[in-house]
Structure formats: C-alpha cells, structure tokens
Amino acid sequence: MMMEAIPELFAINTLNRNERRRDFLEEKLRHPLKLSLIAAPQDPQLMLASLFGGGLIIFWFLLSYALSYQGIDELIRAIFGAEFNHSVISFLIFLPHGVRVIAVYFGGWRAVPPLFIAHLLLYQLFSGMPPQNTHVVLALLGSLCPYIAFEAMRIANINAYYRLDQPGLRRNQFGPPLLAGILAAILNAMGSLAFFLFFGPEPRGLSFYVGYLLGDILGLLIILSILFTISGATDMIFKSKKDGD
C-alpha cells in the first residue's frame, strides 16, 4: 500500500515544483526588478541580477534624495512663491525612506548592504550633512531600521515582505509594507534622537525629529503609491494579454 502511494506522491511533488517554476517565470516577465532583488543565491545568473538590484537601490536612493531636496523645493517655490520657507518642506517629503522600505520589501536582508553604501555615498555627495564621525552610525540606523521593522512584523505573524507565492485571496497589499515603513520611521527617528542626545556634537530639539518622522512617512506614502499603481497597471496589462492569448 505504501509502495503504491510513493509514485503518486512523487508525481504530485513534481507537479507542484513545475507550478511554482511556472509562477516564478510569469512573475519574472511581469516584474523583472523584483526578481533582481529577491534572486535565489544558488543561481549564478540570479546572483548577478541581485548585484544589479543592489546597484539600482543605490541609484534610486541617491536620486530620490536629490528630488526631495531640490526638485520638490523648486516645485513648492513655483506654486507658493520664492518667499515660502522651503527648508521646512525638505523634511516634510523625504522620498529616500520610501526607497529604503521597498528595497527591504522586495529584497529582505539582501537590501541592507546596498542601503548602507547608499547612505555613506549620500554623506559624501551632498552638502549639509552631519559630522563625519557620525556617518557610519547614522548609515547603519538608516539601513537597518526598515529590516528590523519587517522582521518584527514577521515575528508577530504579520507578513509584510513581498511574496511570489501569494494565494489569490491574499495578494500583496499596500497596508503591510506601509505599516512596516511607519515602524521603521519611528525606529529611525528614536535611534537618531538617542544617538545625538548622548553622543552627538550638538543636540537638536524634539521638533526636528518630529519633522524627520513626518518626512519619512510622507515620502513612504508617495513611493508606495507610485509602486502599487504601476504594479497594478502592469498586472492588468499582463492579465488581459494572457486572457487574449
């Protein structure tokens, strides 16, 4: 009886592996960037894709910072006039936090090293940065807080990571990564406050860190909204094309 069941179990296991491979390939066609960030380490081609994904994280992090502190300022001045205090708005829309969150959302721990490198490059390429002796600690805070937030939600049995094998009734949704991003923003603000309070050269007021927190959350909302809008449109196009075939 048991011997007769073995071929049947083997066939079912093979079928399940083929279905997972088919779903993986379909997802690769729809979202190649996502696959570059969550690539399996045992495949050399996917390892190369992971390196490419790490480079994209660095690129988009630096670009989003430039947009936050230059492009958004220009837009606000165009709308409200040159007399508007644009130094305030720089904190109110901080796009790089959104990039940090979606990088960990897709890549998990693999996103932490490129985020750390991106923070260090940021401190070298832009002006108005904190003292040099604080760069490593702040880069660690910025790159680790999103990962800690996602892992805390995973331990609490709330899956916030992107998953390729989501069932039809539990698709990847906007809420979990948003909640993880808000938690990461709180951790980052509290960690920065504690660091500068005890080790920083000049302590800052609480209002500075409240603005820091608000800027992270608003930047996160913008980036996630763009991501899920594009992802939804791509899924609809792919589904309509598949139905047409």
Side-chain angles (χ1 to χ4, degrees), residues 10 14 22 25-26 32 70 95 102 106 110-111 137 155 177 191 193 232 235-236:
F10 180 77
T14 302
R22 183 194 62 200
L25 292 175
E26 287 182 357
Q70 295 178 15
L95 299 177
I102 64 169
F106 289 136
R110 296 182 183 88
V137 174
I155 293 171
L193 174 61
D235 287 342
M236 289 180 60

Side-chain angles (χ1 to χ4, degrees), residues 97-109:
H97 183 64
V99 175
R100 289 190 294 223
V101 171
I102 64 169
V104 176
Y105 173 59
F106 289 136
W109 63 266

Side-chain angles (χ1 to χ4, degrees), residues 190-206:
M190 291 177 60
S192 300
L193 174 61
F195 174 72
F196 280 108
L197 185 63
F198 293 104
F199 305 104
E202 49 183 50
R204 296 177 181 268
L206 184 61

Side-chain angles (χ1 to χ4, degrees), residues 22-68:
R22 183 194 62 200
D23 294 340
F24 181 84
L25 292 175
E26 287 182 357
E27 191 69 16
K28 185 174 182 180
L29 289 174
R30 281 185 289 177
H31 305 295
L33 175 58
K34 296 175 186 177
L35 269 297
S36 70
L37 295 177
I38 59 178
Q42 61 270 24
D43 191 321
Q45 290 185 343
L46 293 181
M47 286 180 63
L48 183 62
S50 293
L51 291 175
F52 177 71
L56 286 178
I57 291 174
I58 296 172
F59 171 78
W60 285 113
F61 185 85
L62 296 175
L63 180 63
S64 65
Y65 186 90
L67 290 174
S68 292

Side-chain angles (χ1 to χ4, degrees), residues 53 56 64 97 100 109 112 118 145 163 169 213 242:
L56 286 178
S64 65
H97 183 64
R100 289 190 294 223
W109 63 266
V112 174
C145 283
R163 290 178 58 187
L169 296 178
L213 176 62
K242 188 176 179 180

Side-chain angles (χ1 to χ4, degrees), residues 27 30-31 34 38 105-106 157-167 170-173:
E27 191 69 16
R30 281 185 289 177
H31 305 295
K34 296 175 186 177
I38 59 178
Y105 173 59
F106 289 136
N157 203 27
I158 304 174
N159 181 59
Y161 287 111
Y162 177 82
R163 290 178 58 187
L164 289 175
D165 59 343
Q166 282 280 13
R170 292 186 58 197
R171 295 181 60 82
N172 293 290
Q173 297 176 343

